[in-house]
Amino acid sequence: MGKNIFDPYRIDRLLAKSWPEPDNLPGAIEIFERELAAFTGREYCRLTAGGGAALKIALKALKPACVALTDVTHPSLLEAVKYAEAEPVFLDINIKTLNISEEALMRAAGSFDTLLNVHMFGNPSLPDPVKRFPKKHLPSVVEDASQILGRDHKGKKYGSFGRIGIFSLSPYKPLSAPWAKAGAITWDDPALTKKIRGGLERFTRPDGRTASYLSLKLRNLPAVFSDLKKINGLYRRGLSGIGELTIPPVSETAQEFPILTKRREELKRRLLKLKIPLERIYTPLHGKGRDAEFPGASRYLREALHLPVYPAMTESECAYIINAIKDFFTN
């Protein structure tokens, strides 16, 4: 299948051929910030040294006491809550969507003043979440739209529903530079500007070369999304009908393809033996001894595998993975 099989940076190698790779373009950071603000429907945008830094700056600016967040997500979100000196409130997931369970959210209403709404696997999580709460329990919302960049709900872009939107632009994301950790924070309220700029001073920022490449990648997002849709579609069609396999209805532009099976460990060993690079799964944040409180997250941990998805992945690579999984369940 060739020495470059499962190369997640293939799209970047292709794009780099049309990019002069400047050392540090003057004004490139400000140009990209304006472009991303316009793309996401926001007034203001600042480039940060990763999604984790953006989260820390966002929460520190809001000064929350208690932050609710999904139990299944990247640990950097919990790190940001602790950085803001807030108490976390973990919310179980709906195993069908792998996003926050609305029942868990409503049960916890009133126990937190800020909601960190993360759109996992490109699936919308609680679109326009503020409308779900009575006024006495109305939280501030920070929206992590890293995995749903570019999509909208009723004409309004995801990432613009909360007081602050954050984006990870690190490697493996559709909008990313392969050599740098980057992120972005977006907002509309000018009253937040001073606090956010003050938070930015505590972190280094990507350079103009990175910003210039992100601008190039932003212009090429339609092609990136087209590739992601193709691979997700191939997986969904190729793996349908396998009785021991559950395929959650993730977005057609998801950057990893989760599957659930009670034979997870056996299948994992088989795929790794065949040199298929599985993506990491998320360890639920609730910790030990509380699995009964989080049935959705606990099942995810027992059964989930994430198949690789990235732009410029070939149909033959995808078919290789599909056939390996089919062979496992039929032989």
Side-chain angles (χ1 to χ4, degrees), residues 41-279:
R42 287 292 204 177
E43 287 293 324
Y44 309 104
C45 172
R46 288 294 180 270
L47 194 60
T48 68
L55 277 166
K56 289 175 179 178
I57 294 165
L59 291 178
K60 202 73 170 178
L62 295 177
K63 297 182 177 179
C66 296
V67 179
L69 69 161
T70 176
D71 192 45
V72 174
T73 190
H74 195 275
S76 62
L77 278 76
L78 180 56
E79 292 171 11
V81 173
K82 293 179 178 179
Y83 177 84
E85 300 178 278
E87 288 295 321
V89 176
F90 302 123
L91 302 174
D92 196 20
I93 63 167
N94 180 336
I95 197 64
K96 294 181 179 179
T97 66
L98 304 183
N99 269 311
I100 290 174
S101 158
E102 292 209 32
E103 291 78 7
L105 179 71
M106 291 300 101
R107 283 197 303 270
S111 66
F112 57 89
D113 55 6
T114 300
L115 172 65
L116 184 45
N117 192 29
V118 191
H119 304 286
M120 297 296 294
F121 306 102
N123 273 351
S125 172
L126 311 171
D128 211 357
V130 170
K131 291 184 178 179
R132 289 167 162 77
F133 295 90
K135 285 188 177 181
K136 64 178 180 179
H137 295 322
L138 202 62
S140 291
V141 176
V142 175
E143 189 180 10
D144 183 340
S146 303
Q147 297 186 31
I148 203 170
L149 177 69
R151 292 185 60 191
D152 67 85
H153 176 65
K154 297 181 179 179
K156 184 177 173 67
K157 287 286 182 69
Y158 286 108
S160 64
F161 283 98
R163 289 196 72 194
I164 299 175
I166 74 99
F167 300 88
S168 169
L169 308 176
S170 296
Y172 280 82
K173 296 294 191 301
L175 181 58
S176 60
W179 62 81
K181 287 186 67 175
I185 182 169
T186 62
W187 72 101
D188 296 322
D189 184 357
L192 290 172
T193 300
K194 184 176 180 180
K195 296 176 182 177
I196 289 173
R197 286 179 175 169
L200 284 166
E201 293 174 358
R202 299 184 177 94
F203 298 89
T204 58
R205 300 181 71 199
D207 59 15
R209 176 174 178 263
T210 299
S212 171
Y213 187 77
L214 289 171
S215 287
L216 173 68
K217 201 81 170 280
L218 185 61
R219 292 192 292 274
N220 282 273
L221 272 184
V224 171
F225 289 149
S226 177
D227 279 359
L228 294 177
K229 288 178 182 179
K230 179 186 74 175
I231 298 304
N232 277 285
L234 288 170
Y235 277 140
R236 190 165 298 282
R237 291 189 296 273
L239 297 174
S240 64
I242 299 176
E244 295 180 82
L245 199 65
T246 298
I247 304 175
V250 297
S251 165
E252 61 182 0
T253 57
Q255 297 112 59
E256 49 197 339
F257 192 87
I259 58 176
L260 302 172
T261 176
K262 292 180 179 178
R263 299 176 65 189
R264 194 270 300 272
E265 290 304 316
E266 296 173 70
L267 178 57
K268 179 180 178 180
R269 286 194 294 270
R270 173 74 67 85
L271 297 181
L272 291 177
K273 186 176 181 179
L274 294 171
K275 309 298 184 185
I276 293 172
L278 299 171
E279 303 294 345

